[in-house]
């Protein structure tokens, strides 16, 4: 049989990537384009949905240029959980004081709505139990409230469609307004099977969103990977250089796509504690600009300070808890660039210089022990979990998130890492040492793109379920065991 392919598209904070992936999960080709980030004032980060879609088209055309378009069976999108604002004609609406219509995306890391988030938390509404009891400024309700209170004339009154960025991309591809449960449950307080809580939106002052069966924020929903509309529209197919009708799967937030790309891998033969155990014994860590800690369960588990439980937010039919650190890779960049030796470091210009330098400093001891009496508090951008305090500046991390999840009922035995930081061997080893758990790295380094491609594979119906697709398409590349001689729990 002729090989068939799926396209995975990943929109990260600073760039758009695409991969052409085989039925067996092998990445054939990749392409990448940068996207603009504007910071019009402190803690305001905005982007352009027009630019993002154009870059998506560019990378998809590049990765598919050498194959027959009829062999591309499906496409899936993931993206950051940023807020896209469009008017009645689906044209961009500005989210900044300057009124630039092209700047119509409030980024996930935009913290302009901290005061609105605190007010929402203070309502004590029942929906907050699904977000660890605390509303984060990185979620959409406080951002929407900020737009109403600060940009009523230029934005709020003109807005007719509020999309999470992943749903915006699937709408651009198919014309379908059906939203993914991943975005709505995780970032918008939607709660299946009951749906939207009208009392919540009224309580926080956004009663306008109830109009026309919540049409501005989503009336129809489906699980990730479900086929949308009739596949690619004529216009989208022309822009992407694919065939009209190519299957498009309901989208995922980027971190959740990373989870799909690693957590379902067949681990037989690797002597891991999660072998012959359900997926609930695994945690996916997606380590990039921020770090997200994804754990799933068969029944809903409530973890204080941790988002969830969210039904069908990553794996359909399973409940998801999501812990996280708001700044990890970005924090490392900040620390390195702010150091007095940064200019000298740039002259070294080799990727592993800092790792090698740390090893030389450690001499006969482990690098972990360099921090035994020195602690850098990593919550420069607030604490996402488990304390869920955007104003906090204190030392918390992966081990404490893990312990909070275990205390709530999760039985996590193995970590599955992906993302940019997972390519750093020292970072991976320290996570294994700090948690005392083995770390699995994926065979394909672009696990987020594999996860996005899984969505396209499911939408094409080449696989019957997301679980089947991710087991076939995700593979173990390497296992890193903890160094049990160390008792360092300060590093993650």
């Amino acid at each position: 049989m002729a090989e068939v392919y799926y396209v995975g598209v990943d929109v990260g904070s600073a760039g758009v990537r695409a991969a052409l992936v085989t039925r067996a999960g092998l990445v054939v080709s990749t392409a990448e384009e940068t996207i603009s980030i504007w910071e019009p004032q402190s803690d305001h980060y905005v982007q352009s949905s027009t630019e993002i879609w154009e870059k998506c088209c560019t990378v998809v055309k590049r990765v598919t240029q050498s194959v027959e378009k009829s062999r591309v069976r499906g496409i899936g999108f993931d993206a950051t959980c940023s807020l896209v604002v469009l008017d009645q004609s689906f044209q961009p609406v500005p989210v900044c004081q300057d009124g630039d219509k092209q700047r119509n995306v409030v980024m996930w890391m935009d913290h302009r709505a901290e005061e609105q988030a605190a007010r929402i938390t203070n309502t004590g509404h029942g929906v907050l139990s699904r977000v660890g009891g605390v509303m984060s400024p990185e979620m959409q309700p406080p951002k929407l409230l900020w737009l109403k209170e600060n940009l009523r004339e230029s934005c709020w009154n003109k807005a007719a469609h509020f999309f999470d960025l992943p749903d915006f991309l699937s709408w651009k591809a198919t014309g379908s307004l059906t939203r993914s449960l991943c975005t709505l449950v995780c970032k918008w307080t939607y709660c299946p099977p009951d749906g939207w809580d009208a009392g919540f939106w009224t309580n926080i002052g956004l009663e306008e969103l109830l109009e026309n069966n919540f049409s501005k924020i989503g009336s129809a929903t489906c699980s990730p990977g479900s086929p949308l509309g009739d596949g690619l529209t004529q216009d989208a197919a022309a822009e992407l250089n694919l065939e009209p009708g190519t299957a498009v799967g309901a989208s995922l937030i980027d971190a959740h796509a990373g989870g799909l790309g690693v957590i379902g891998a067949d681990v037989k033969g690797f002597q891991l504690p999660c072998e012959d155990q359900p997926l609930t014994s695994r945690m996916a860590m997606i380590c990039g600009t921020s770090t997200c800690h994804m754990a799933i369960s068969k029944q809903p588990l409530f973890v204080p300070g941790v988002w969830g439980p969210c039904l069908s937010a990553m794996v359909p039919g399973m409940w998801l808890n999501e812990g996280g650190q708001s700044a990890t890779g970005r924090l490392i960049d900040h620390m390195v660039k702010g150091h007095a030796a940064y200019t000298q470091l740039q002259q070294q210009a080799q990727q592993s210089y800092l790792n090698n330098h740390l090893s030389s400093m450690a001499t006969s001891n482990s690098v972990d022990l360099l921090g035994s009496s020195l602690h850098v508090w990593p919550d420069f951008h607030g604490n996402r979990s488990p304390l869920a305090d955007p104003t906090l500046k204190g030392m918390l991390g992966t081990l404490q998130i893990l312990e909070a999840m275990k205390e709530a009922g999760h039985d996590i035995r193995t970590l599955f890492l992906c993302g940019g930081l997972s390519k750093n061997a020292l970072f991976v080893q320290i996570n294994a040492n700090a948690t005392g758990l083995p770390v699995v790295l994926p065979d394909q380094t672009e696990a987020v793109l594999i996860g996005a491609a899984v969505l396209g594979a499911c939408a094409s119906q080449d696989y019957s379920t997301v679980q089947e697709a991710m087991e076939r398409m995700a593979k173990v590349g390497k296992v890193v065991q903890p160094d049990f001689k160390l008792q360092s729990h300060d590093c993650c």
Side-chain angles (χ1 to χ4, degrees):
M1 289 181 60
E3 181 67 85
V4 296
Y5 303 95
Y6 314 101
V7 175
V9 181
D10 166 51
V11 179
S13 298
V16 176
R17 302 182 302 155
L20 185 68
V21 182
T22 69
R23 184 179 171 88
L26 177 67
V27 175
V28 177
S29 61
T30 62
E32 184 170 359
E33 288 281 328
T34 58
I35 50 179
S36 305
I37 299 175
W38 294 281
E39 187 181 2
Q41 57 192 92
S42 179
D43 273 343
H44 290 225
Y45 296 95
V46 299
Q47 293 184 308
S48 163
S49 66
T50 301
E51 180 193 36
I52 290 169
W53 176 250
E54 289 173 351
K55 296 298 178 72
C56 286
C57 295
T58 298
V59 292
V60 170
K61 286 188 284 191
R62 292 223 306 263
V63 299
T64 59
Q65 62 186 352
S66 62
V67 299
E68 294 178 21
K69 302 305 176 279
S70 61
R71 293 188 183 179
V72 179
R73 298 270 300 152
I75 182 169
F77 297 89
D78 74 73
T80 64
C81 49
S82 301
L83 176 66
V84 181
V85 187
L86 304 179
D87 66 16
Q88 192 67 47
S89 302
F90 296 95
Q91 296 303 304
V93 176
V95 295
C96 302
Q97 302 280 3
D98 63 12
D100 186 338
K101 290 184 179 181
Q102 289 307 311
R103 301 183 184 187
N104 69 315
V105 180
V106 183
M107 287 189 71
W108 66 271
M109 63 184 183
D110 185 303
H111 276 208
R112 69 178 72 180
E114 285 189 359
E115 191 268 332
Q116 286 76 12
R119 268 193 277 142
I120 294 172
T121 296
N122 289 337
T123 66
H125 196 280
V127 301
L128 297 174
S129 66
R130 305 283 178 174
V131 293
V134 178
M135 178 58 66
S136 167
E138 295 177 11
M139 292 184 174
Q140 310 303 11
K143 292 176 181 174
L144 292 168
L145 188 57
W146 189 95
L147 292 174
K148 178 180 178 179
E149 294 177 345
N150 293 273
L151 297 178
R152 183 186 290 266
E153 296 299 324
S154 61
C155 176
W156 184 256
N157 291 346
K158 297 178 180 178
H161 303 279
F162 296 105
F163 287 99
D164 218 273
L165 182 54
D167 288 320
F168 166 81
L169 297 174
S170 58
W171 165 74
K172 282 290 288 186
T174 66
S176 172
L177 290 170
T178 299
R179 313 297 179 98
S180 171
L181 284 174
C182 176
T183 58
L184 292 193
V185 175
C186 292
K187 306 299 177 184
W188 296 73
T189 73
Y190 188 88
C191 186
D194 300 326
W196 295 113
D197 189 315
F200 167 73
W201 295 104
T202 301
N203 187 283
I204 67 171
L206 294 178
E207 59 279 352
E208 302 97 319
L209 298 181
L210 277 61
E211 296 171 4
N212 194 23
N213 191 27
F214 296 93
S215 62
K216 288 185 178 182
I217 56 176
S219 301
T221 65
C222 65
S223 296
S226 301
L228 291 175
D230 296 318
L232 290 179
T233 64
Q234 292 281 350
D235 288 345
E239 291 180 285
L240 295 163
N241 197 25
L242 294 174
E243 291 192 341
T246 300
V248 179
S251 56
L252 283 169
I253 298 167
D254 53 351
H256 300 61
L260 276 196
V262 294
I263 203 170
D266 184 351
V267 298
K268 287 184 176 64
F270 288 92
Q271 290 76 51
L272 288 165
C274 64
E275 186 173 348
D276 297 323
Q277 299 295 317
L279 284 178
T280 53
S281 65
R282 309 177 182 193
M283 174 187 278
M285 287 178 55
I286 297 81
C287 314
T289 303
S290 62
T291 293
C292 297
H293 306 73
M294 307 290 198
I296 55 178
S297 58
K298 292 182 179 178
Q299 301 297 327
L301 297 175
F302 291 84
V303 186
V306 170
W307 296 340
C310 301
L311 181 60
S312 297
M314 186 170 76
V315 180
M318 303 286 282
W319 295 86
L320 172 72
N321 283 111
E322 178 187 351
Q325 295 160 292
S326 292
T328 47
R330 191 176 181 88
L331 175 56
I332 292 173
D333 287 344
H334 173 74
M335 296 297 293
V336 171
K337 291 178 180 178
H339 196 278
Y342 179 59
T343 302
Q344 178 185 349
L345 179 63
Q346 283 183 301
Q347 296 171 356
Q348 301 296 329
Q350 62 182 64
Q351 193 171 11
S352 59
Y353 175 80
L354 282 178
N355 282 11
N356 294 337
H357 183 62
L358 288 171
S359 296
S360 67
M361 290 174 63
T363 59
S364 60
N365 296 319
S366 169
V367 170
D368 297 54
L369 299 180
L370 289 173
S372 59
S373 59
L374 175 67
H375 305 284
V376 176
W377 293 8
D379 292 313
F380 284 34
H381 203 53
N383 177 263
R384 186 183 297 170
S385 59
L387 293 191
D389 185 345
T391 67
L392 190 67
K393 306 293 186 286
M395 189 185 74
L396 292 159
T398 291
L399 182 66
Q400 286 171 292
I401 293 169
L402 189 63
E403 288 174 343
M405 287 188 174
K406 286 184 174 180
E407 190 171 329
H410 283 283
D411 179 23
I412 297 164
R413 306 184 184 190
T414 308
L415 303 180
F416 288 71
L417 265 63
C418 67
L421 280 178
S422 71
K423 299 173 186 178
N424 186 299
L426 177 59
F427 176 84
V428 173
Q429 186 66 61
I430 288 176
N431 271 275
N433 294 349
T435 62
L437 296 177
V439 172
V440 174
L441 298 175
D443 176 55
Q444 302 289 303
T445 57
E446 305 298 349
V448 175
L449 289 168
I450 295 290
V454 163
L455 301 174
C458 290
S460 73
Q461 301 183 329
D462 289 347
Y463 289 110
S464 58
T465 64
V466 165
Q467 290 91 325
E468 180 191 7
M470 64 183 184
E471 184 175 348
R472 299 284 185 86
M473 297 175 71
K475 293 178 175 60
V476 176
K478 182 181 180 181
V479 174
V480 178
Q481 295 288 349
D483 185 343
F484 289 106
K485 298 190 299 293
L486 298 172
Q487 298 297 319
S488 173
H489 286 175
D490 303 320
C491 309
C492 299

